[in-house]
Amino acid sequence: MKIKLRGVKHITITSEFIRLDALLKYASIASTGGEAKIIIQNGDVFVGGEPCMIRGKKIRSGDIVRYGDYTMIVRSSSGGRPESNIIESSGNAG
């Protein structure tokens, strides 16, 4: 059985990590922090293939986060700006 993914987003961070709830908001999976909290606490988010119910979970370069049909691949930049922890998002929907 093939699984069709709705979207794969490559998220580039310039810091050591990004919190899971912030990642969901940035990727437009959740519109608010409260919505991200509910999604995470329901056990609907997977980090590295394992369910994760910790909204403050530190997501680092190389981590793969899934929610429903969405997959987010996190990578770090080289020589990024320290004042910003997210510099780009690319992906395809469809």
Side-chain angles (χ1 to χ4, degrees):
M1 175 168 90
K2 290 186 179 182
I3 299 172
K4 183 177 180 182
L5 298 177
R6 187 177 297 164
V8 174
K9 292 188 177 197
H10 295 270
I11 307 292
T12 301
I13 59 174
T14 61
S15 62
E16 182 182 348
F17 64 88
I18 182 172
R19 287 173 40 128
L20 180 57
D21 57 350
L23 177 67
L24 294 182
K25 288 190 303 184
Y26 181 74
S28 299
I29 302 295
S31 56
T32 67
E35 184 179 357
K37 177 182 175 181
I38 292 168
I39 290 169
I40 294 165
Q41 288 181 341
N42 283 339
D44 296 332
V45 178
F46 293 80
V47 178
E50 298 292 324
C52 182
M53 297 174 64
I54 305 166
R55 77 178 205 203
K57 170 84 173 157
K58 294 177 180 177
I59 305 301
R60 302 175 191 279
S61 181
D63 284 342
I64 298 173
V65 179
R66 285 194 34 218
Y67 169 70
D69 293 338
Y70 295 95
T71 300
M72 291 152 281
I73 301 170
V74 178
R75 60 185 177 200
S76 75
S77 68
S78 56
R81 300 181 309 257
E83 69 276 5
S84 171
N85 70 342
I86 304 173
I87 60 169
E88 75 178 73
S89 172
S90 63
N92 62 24

